[in-house]
Amino acid sequence: MTKKAVNTRATARVAPLRKGTTLQMIRLVCPDAAQCSLISESFGLPVLDSDGIRDLHEKLIVDTAAALDEGLGERAMQIHLQRIVGAFVGSAYGAGQFYSRAVSDARDATAKSACDDRDEDVAGPVGFDSAAQRKREFAADMALQAHALRVAAEGATAAYEQVVGEVWKPFERPVENPGQSVDRKAAELQMAALG
């Protein structure tokens, strides 16, 4: 009986990366200034100072970097700002996703309330809004929040580019345990040792 030769040479594997949230992803789920202004006007909500929010957050990050300049080296500053800007971007993306769900709920409720054959969706007692109206108002509130966080993230990414000198992009870390688990690898090594 001949033994199979065991290949001890490690095979090269490309570790898959966990994709980070980009600024483009935020722009797809969060309303822009024009849409936010229309929502504010339609629902009687305050009009946000988008440029002011963006500028303030850009200044915040630039001032933070200036204060830390003597204590951090260039690479440490880049890593620190990468994390801070990543938090702003992640927060805006989460708010944008929540806003999108709120809009879907409002559309569903509004479509149901338009059907004359449904008794449960009739307007509430005098002086109270219908469920569909409350969902539309909630979606409008979420639009303002998502937009505010979007422009804050845009300001933070602009500051990153100003301080670091390159465009911010999300950190992409390798997926943990991309292939086999440690237990599986250990079992294979043990079985190979047994012959």
Side-chain angles (χ1 to χ4, degrees):
M1 167 172 3
T2 59
K3 287 188 176 184
K4 266 170 98 176
V6 178
N7 185 2
T8 57
R9 194 171 123 195
T11 58
R13 259 195 289 194
V14 176
L17 297 176
R18 183 174 294 151
K19 295 290 184 181
T21 304
T22 64
L23 202 53
Q24 184 59 29
M25 292 167 67
I26 291 171
R27 290 179 176 143
L28 292 173
V29 296
C30 295
D32 61 11
Q35 185 180 7
C36 191
S37 179
L38 181 62
I39 290 169
S40 292
E41 185 179 303
S42 298
F43 286 89
L45 297 172
V47 176
L48 297 180
D49 178 13
S50 302
D51 293 335
I53 295 169
R54 183 181 294 108
D55 293 345
L56 179 69
H57 282 80
E58 183 175 354
K59 183 179 179 332
L60 172 77
I61 301 297
V62 169
D63 289 349
T64 298
L68 293 171
D69 191 40
E70 289 184 18
L72 295 179
E74 187 176 316
R75 182 70 178 138
M77 179 69 76
Q78 182 180 10
I79 291 169
H80 176 66
L81 293 180
Q82 169 71 32
R83 291 174 177 154
I84 290 174
V85 173
F88 277 102
V89 170
S91 179
Y93 186 65
Q97 288 180 312
F98 191 78
Y99 161 68
S100 296
R101 284 191 298 273
V103 169
S104 294
D105 291 346
R107 281 191 183 125
D108 290 346
T110 301
K112 288 177 184 175
S113 68
C115 179
D116 294 332
D117 296 333
R118 294 176 55 98
D119 289 337
E120 66 266 15
D121 293 323
V122 296
V126 175
F128 292 98
D129 295 329
S130 69
Q133 178 63 29
R134 286 191 305 274
K135 288 185 185 239
R136 287 191 300 270
E137 290 172 355
F138 180 74
D141 287 338
M142 295 306 101
L144 295 186
Q145 290 181 28
H147 176 70
L149 292 172
R150 170 189 169 160
V151 294
E154 288 173 349
T157 56
Y160 180 89
E161 186 172 357
Q162 184 179 337
V163 172
V164 175
E166 60 186 52
V167 175
W168 179 86
K169 53 187 183 245
F171 176 73
E172 295 178 347
R173 78 179 98 193
V175 177
E176 295 177 22
N177 296 330
Q180 300 171 333
S181 68
V182 174
D183 292 338
R184 176 70 184 209
K185 287 179 184 178
E188 284 180 6
L189 288 173
Q190 290 171 345
M191 291 307 295
L194 292 172

